[in-house]
Amino acid sequence: MAEIAELAAAVREFSRERDWEQFHDPKSLVLALVGEVGELAELLQWVPADEVVERFAAPDRRARVGEELADVLVYLVCLSDVLGVDLGAAARAKLASSHARFPADDVRGVAPHKP
Amino acid sequence: MAEIAELAAAVREFSRERDWEQFHDPKSLVLALVGEVGELAELLQWVPADEVVERFAAPDRRARVGEELADVLVYLVCLSDVLGVDLGAAARAKLASSHARFPADDVRGVAPHKP
Amino acid sequence: MAEIAELAAAVREFSRERDWEQFHDPKSLVLALVGEVGELAELLQWVPADEVVERFAAPDRRARVGEELADVLVYLVCLSDVLGVDLGAAARAKLASSHARFPADDVRGVAPHKP
Amino acid sequence: MAEIAELAAAVREFSRERDWEQFHDPKSLVLALVGEVGELAELLQWVPADEVVERFAAPDRRARVGEELADVLVYLVCLSDVLGVDLGAAARAKLASSHARFPADDVRGVAPHKP
């Protein structure tokens, strides 16, 4: 089984064992995801933009930010599972459509901007 | 190669081809992640909590929410890659530690709450 | 002076006294705002949607959620101030334009939805 | 009436006229807030950290970011109102407690960091 589907199955089993599926409606899961994104943001917020990579290169700091990234992924996988979305396939489809939408020769070196 | 590492490699290649790596410092990527989480939230915000799963079960709606979930994953994978974090391994480690932290018999049916 | 401008002045003075203005570039402040929104989300995430108002009606719970709402406002006011935006005026202008954009007779009882 | 309370009253009236209060439970409003914070983040995400203030100093760009800041405020005010929180008072109380928690002489020039 693919890695993301395995993660989804592990999260589902974890929730089922604890009878926590009752809390996992999509809106609650988006809020939980937002909570974890917030913790990630707090970890980086006051570090100067050009020092973040170096600051988090030390093993303990890398492990720390890895935990926050993992928390975001776990809720994202759980939310996708509850919504019946194959997250890995959706990400591959998105990348494929981005290749078509942003031809390399047209956008090289130019950040795509929002209206 | 594992699925998440494959996605990371594909995103890295996509960015490299477009010379977009210059924009991908961690703080900018967290903001991009926040932007995508915002689009996901907007999709669900006014749907009654107990109707979301059903509302997004139709193929076109499921594909639509799948795109937003994919956007979040793509930036999460890109951010992890820039920070040198093995996201799949971090998620498995997190789940393992959650098993220890929340023994099923202690927390069954009770949502863990924040202080 | 209007209330929001007074808050902005108080936050500016607070930052200046601590020599914290150096950390308050807009992107860092958006991340700080995201962190506070995350704390707000965590407070509500597992409460059933139709029980939140009642759950937070008790004085201690209302004070608790009030603190999180206040944290969001403080960073929003600080960010607006750094960007030279008159936040109170911008909010009034936004409400005025919403009146024109959503005529009451056209949208009554129908949630505006995102594309 | 104070400015924030006036805004709250105007938002309440706006919602009431459109029969939109039915959509405004707290969890839905946090999601709407997240959506607006996401739009704000998207506006700034690819601008280099030290160029944001200058980039948004032009009148049309300042007005644009002002709209996004206003959207965040409007939902924050609406959410506070639904929860029965006096947002202005809560923000003043928060600032007062921050003065006590971060004595200027102890923290000067040092960003408070999260554990």
Side-chain angles (χ1 to χ4, degrees), chain B residues 28 31-32 35 39 41-42 45 75, chain D residues 28 31-32 35 39 41-42 45-46:
Chain B
S28 298
L31 291 177
E39 294 186 28
E42 287 177 342
Q45 62 195 12
Y75 279 120
Chain D
S28 298
L31 291 177
E39 293 186 28
E42 287 178 341
Q45 61 194 11
W46 307 133

Side-chain angles (χ1 to χ4, degrees), chain A residues 23-24 28-29 31-32 34-35 37-39 41-42 45-46 75, chain C residues 23-24 28-29 31-32 34-35 37-39 41-42 45-46 75:
Chain A
F23 303 114
H24 292 176
S28 298
L29 287 169
L31 291 178
V34 166
V37 171
E39 294 187 27
E42 288 178 341
Q45 63 195 11
W46 306 133
Y75 280 119
Chain C
F23 304 114
H24 291 175
S28 298
L29 287 169
L31 291 177
V34 166
V37 170
E39 293 186 29
E42 287 177 341
Q45 63 195 11
W46 306 133
Y75 280 120

Side-chain angles (χ1 to χ4, degrees), chain A residues 2 9 15 20 26 35 37 44 46-47 50 59 69-70 74 76 87-88 94 102 107 112 114:
Chain A
S15 302
W20 283 0
V37 171
L44 276 55
W46 306 133
V47 183
D50 55 1
L69 292 162
V74 166
L76 185 66
L87 181 60
K94 192 62 195 241
F102 302 108
V107 300
K114 302 278 171 170

